[in-house]
Structure formats: C-alpha cells, structure tokens
Amino acid sequence: MESLTADAADGQQGLASGLPLGLLSLPPEANAAAPFSPLSLSGLPMDPSAALLLSGVTAPRPAGQPHSQSQPQPNLLSNPAALAAALVARQGAPQPPGPGPGSGSVGVKAEPAPAAAAPASPADPASSESAAAALSARMAAVGAAIIFEKALTASDVSGGGRVVVPKSIAEQYFPRLEQPSGVTISASDLDGRGYTFKWRFWVNNSSRMYLLEGAGELHRNYGLEVGDVMVFAQKPDGSLVVAGRSGNKSCLLTPALPLP
DNA sequence: AGCCATGCACCG
DNA sequence: CGGTGCATGGCT
C-alpha cells in the first residue's frame, strides 16, 4: 500500500489521502481587525472569530483572494454527512452519519491506548505499516480525517520543535495567515493530551515557507525521531488531532542498497 | 522555477 | 548560549 507520508523527496506533495477534506474556509481578509483562525480549535481561548465561524456562519466566497491558487474545496465541515461518507469510503469505518458526529462521545473502538512514551516498535517495516493502519483506523474511530503526514527531518527534530509544513498542504488545510507572526492553534492527540502550536510562516523568496512551532512536546510524547512520522488529522468539528508513529527508520539508518 | 531542508547571523 | 528569523543551496 502506498503510504500517505509527505516527504521532502516527494517534491510535489501528494494530497494526504485524496480526501476532499477542506478546513474551514477562511474569512474574507478584507479587514485586518480579526487576525485569523480558520481552524477551529477546541479548548483554547482563541480569537472569537473561530467561534463565529463555528456558529454556522457560512463561509463567504473568497472572492479576490491574494493567493493565486484556485480552490474548489467543498467545505465538509458544514457537511458532516459527506465527511462521514468520505471516511467510510476510505476505510470502511462504520461511522454512523447521525445528526452530529461531534456530539457527545463517539463510539470509539475500545483499544488499549498506546503508551505514548513507548513507541516500542523497533524498525520493522511491517510493523510500521500496521502501526500506520492502526493509527489511521483509530483516527477514523474518533471521526478524524487524516489531513497529511510528515516524515520528520533532522531539522524538524533538532530545530526545537519547528516542523516545516509543505506549502500546498499548509494553504489547503491550515488556517490562512496574514502575517508571518502567525497564530496560536491547539490540538489534541488520541490519548486526550492537549497541545499548543504556533502556526506561522517565513517569507522565502517571493513565496512562503510554512512552519509549525512547538511540536517538541509531541515529539517527546511519541518518542519521535528523524524518519518517524507526524500525523495531522481533523475532526468534523474542525478540531485538530495530532499523533505520531514510527516511520521506517531502518531505511534511513541502514542503507538498503550497497553503495557503489 | 519552485520548494524545502538546513546553515547561519542576529538578538535576548 | 539558546532561540528566532532569514538566506542559501540542493533537489525535484
């Protein structure tokens, strides 16, 4: 099976899972009064505009978007049924559409939560794959759709929790940023731990380089090293779910092919 | 032509 | 001396 891993080597990032999952569409950036936060984050006292968006304000059509990219993105957030359908279509998860997927406790498959501190799995390709599948399934169980995954690079790990996020992914699934300073976003993992990240960007040439800061804690919790994978998902309510799983380190540490 | 990983200067 | 922001270079 092909993994959804977004890697630098990929050059052009393939969309995570082909899911038409769209984050909250951004508000019209006509006014700079309200900074941002298209991504609805649960738990953190953030910009009120987020609450507004969640209140059922239909996302206004981004008429004159400065970003030249056109984005025919269906807003699944306002279409829970579609999201559920997508999830089911993807991995046959028995996720009952229901009136409100995010209401109350979801029928989470009772499974021993993996002690975050112990990723255990050495460097077994097979176990890596099964780990990915298991994680994917658990994400689906809580109604979270995987946005994308990133194999951590050396600088991602050693950079004090600064994780570079591919531009295409950034602009499609993460909150739009007006200024380099970015915004603070919150997330949680599957064990209920909460995280706070700084979502920001650097100006690089005439483009942007997107970056998620503060992932150090997550890395520590999951024991993520270079080559391991950081997973980003989103619940129907828009909340961000993060996780980590071991990648195929053996490939990185031990060359599979003999050097010439 | 971009994009992204990383080096590095600068600032606290 | 650690962290942040920037610029460069390697690679698609």
Side-chain angles (χ1 to χ4, degrees):
Chain A
M1 284 305 192
E2 288 191 7
S3 84
L4 315 171
T5 302
D7 191 11
D10 292 347
Q12 207 66 328
Q13 231 70 26
L15 293 193
S17 51
L19 275 181
L21 210 198
L23 224 43
L24 285 173
S25 28
L26 73 165
E29 38 186 88
N31 226 330
F36 0 65
S37 42
L39 217 191
S40 70
L41 308 150
S42 55
L44 257 195
M46 299 188 49
D47 189 83
S49 65
L52 251 179
L53 286 172
L54 289 179
S55 297
V57 175
T58 33
R61 178 76 56 82
Q65 214 65 69
H67 284 287
S68 53
Q69 39 177 123
S70 54
Q71 37 192 191
Q73 288 184 87
N75 193 347
L76 289 193
L77 289 174
S78 54
N79 218 352
L83 209 183
L87 282 173
V88 172
R90 184 175 183 251
Q91 40 201 170
Q95 190 67 206
S103 59
S105 55
V106 186
V108 183
K109 181 168 53 179
E111 193 160 346
S121 303
D124 185 9
S127 111
S128 185
E129 273 189 34
S130 64
L135 181 55
S136 188
R138 204 168 309 124
M139 282 291 188
V142 297
I146 293 179
I147 294 173
F148 87 110
E149 307 182 343
K150 165 147 194 194
L152 299 179
T153 67
S155 52
D156 285 335
V157 174
S158 66
R162 293 198 306 193
V163 176
V164 175
V165 176
K167 187 185 172 189
S168 58
I169 298 296
E171 293 181 347
Q172 288 178 48
Y173 302 105
F174 283 82
R176 294 270 179 149
L177 298 180
E178 277 282 324
Q179 34 177 255
S181 17
V183 298
T184 297
I185 63 179
S186 64
S188 61
D189 63 13
L190 291 171
D191 294 325
R193 280 176 299 237
Y195 299 92
T196 299
F197 303 113
K198 185 74 175 183
W199 175 242
R200 60 166 312 157
F201 72 88
W202 295 337
V203 177
N204 188 311
N205 295 324
S206 52
S207 186
R208 289 180 176 189
M209 189 166 178
Y210 290 91
L211 163 36
L212 190 75
E213 295 177 347
E217 186 185 351
L218 181 82
H219 294 167
R220 268 178 261 118
N221 287 342
Y222 285 83
L224 300 182
E225 301 172 14
V226 176
D228 289 335
V229 180
M230 192 170 166
V231 181
F232 296 81
Q234 184 190 51
K235 289 188 181 180
D237 62 14
S239 61
L240 179 64
V241 180
V242 292
R245 67 158 216 261
S246 89
N248 197 336
K249 298 174 203 170
S250 56
C251 276
L252 296 176
L253 301 177
T254 310
L257 298 176
L259 297 176

